[in-house]
Amino acid sequence: MRLHAGCQLRFEVTAPSSLILILRPRSGPGQTIEQAETVMEPNCVTTDFLDTNGNLCQRLLVTERDFRIVSTVTAETSELIDTLPGAAFVPVHELPDYTLPFLLPSRYCQSDLLIELAQSIIAGREFAYDQVEAISSWIHTNIAYCYGTSNASTSARDTVSTRVGVCRDFVHLGIALCRALSIPARMVVGYLHNLEPMDLHAWFEAFVGGRWFTFDATQDKPKGNRVAIAYGRDAADVALAHQFGAVQLTGMKVWVEAANP
């Protein structure tokens, strides 16, 4: 499906402040980017760079009291995500170098504290893909999806205790449980068509069978029509806007629509 998606961010600035933005998706598995544009009001000089996760980033200095960013993308997306039941576990000594950071505990994903839970969830499942699918299914069944039940400091271990959260919390828990089994896992933030209520969405990818596969514990079955924007170890890596100084995000609007062929 061809999608037109975007977001609008509004900021209040009380003194010159810095922003680091991750707003521009790249073509890759499941998505071909036809057009991407970021408009800033008032216009601002930006410096482009790639972060350590390969995300397209911009940094800038903002000085105006009211500052607005509109980021849009048109992309051709896959209707379905790839699945491969029976895909094998990749031993750590055979993993590609770029996957190794996604094996380690991180700020929101305390995988070293969830080993017993992970092992209990995958009991009886031999292949790595099926183990990750069991983790995703367990989260979907046992964690209630509810807005306003977590905050910016909620971790995977917190979610195990409260049994409630939003997509970010589902992702952190899925990542932590995968890493507890020595399966590399990373967070993805982007757009999902027909998400209700509409917002930015998060899911996770696990490296099994020699490649990354998408898992989304908020959904009851595999669902495509996604546009990935940012990848990282956890939410600390994938915020669309990192703010430094006297600047506050005051509003955000997100849209994802089917585009004309």
Side-chain angles (χ1 to χ4, degrees):
M1 178 182 287
R2 190 166 181 259
L3 296 179
H4 181 67
C7 64
Q8 175 182 269
L9 308 176
R10 288 187 174 274
F11 299 88
E12 181 178 350
V13 183
T14 55
S17 303
S18 295
L19 291 173
I20 294 178
L21 306 175
I22 310 177
L23 292 170
R24 297 177 299 168
R26 298 193 298 175
S27 294
Q31 64 186 49
T32 300
I33 307 303
E34 298 180 359
Q35 183 178 3
E37 183 180 29
T38 302
V39 176
M40 303 179 188
E41 298 178 356
N43 193 26
C44 214
V45 176
T46 64
T47 300
D48 297 347
F49 68 97
L50 286 178
D51 68 11
T52 56
N53 295 310
N55 298 315
L56 296 172
C57 305
Q58 297 169 292
R59 63 178 183 177
L60 57 149
L61 179 69
V62 291
T63 58
E64 300 289 338
R65 181 172 181 84
D66 296 312
F67 184 68
R68 184 173 79 113
I69 301 170
V70 178
S71 177
T72 57
V73 58
T74 302
E76 187 68 38
T77 64
S78 298
E79 295 281 348
L80 300 173
I81 60 173
D82 291 343
T83 61
L84 191 60
F89 175 81
V90 181
V92 173
H93 68 278
E94 296 179 7
L95 286 168
D97 294 347
Y98 61 82
T99 67
L100 298 179
F102 303 105
L103 280 173
L104 305 177
S106 57
R107 176 178 176 183
Y108 296 108
C109 304
Q110 309 102 317
S111 51
D112 53 324
L113 304 179
L114 297 175
I115 295 173
E116 290 186 8
L117 176 59
Q119 291 175 338
S120 70
I121 291 171
I122 66 159
R125 291 171 174 82
E126 176 183 359
F127 298 106
Y129 184 96
D130 306 304
Q131 293 174 352
V132 181
E133 187 60 47
I135 287 170
S136 183
S137 178
W138 185 91
I139 295 170
H140 183 77
T141 301
N142 291 277
I143 309 298
Y145 191 97
C146 185
Y147 276 96
T149 55
S150 61
N151 56 47
S153 65
T154 300
S155 70
R157 195 180 186 193
D158 295 330
T159 302
V160 171
S161 298
T162 63
R163 299 296 174 102
V164 68
V166 293
C167 61
R168 160 194 168 116
D169 307 303
F170 282 43
V171 167
H172 286 154
L173 182 52
I175 289 171
L177 292 168
C178 288
R179 292 179 188 170
L181 302 170
S182 298
I183 297 173
R186 64 184 183 181
M187 186 171 188
V188 189
V189 167
Y191 303 113
L192 175 61
H193 186 240
N194 284 340
L195 182 66
E196 292 293 341
M198 181 50 64
D199 202 343
L200 288 169
H201 192 49
W203 57 94
F204 73 95
E205 294 182 347
F207 192 89
V208 297
R211 54 159 290 188
W212 294 106
F213 286 92
T214 293
F215 296 87
D216 189 342
T218 69
Q219 307 294 312
D220 59 3
K221 59 183 178 180
K223 185 176 182 181
N225 295 325
R226 300 167 184 266
V227 180
I229 300 172
Y231 300 85
R233 294 166 299 172
D234 57 28
D237 288 345
V238 297
L240 297 193
H242 291 280
Q243 299 144 228
F244 304 89
V247 53
Q248 293 292 328
L249 179 67
T250 58
M252 181 173 68
K253 179 182 178 182
V254 178
W255 58 92
V256 183
E257 304 163 347
N260 294 327

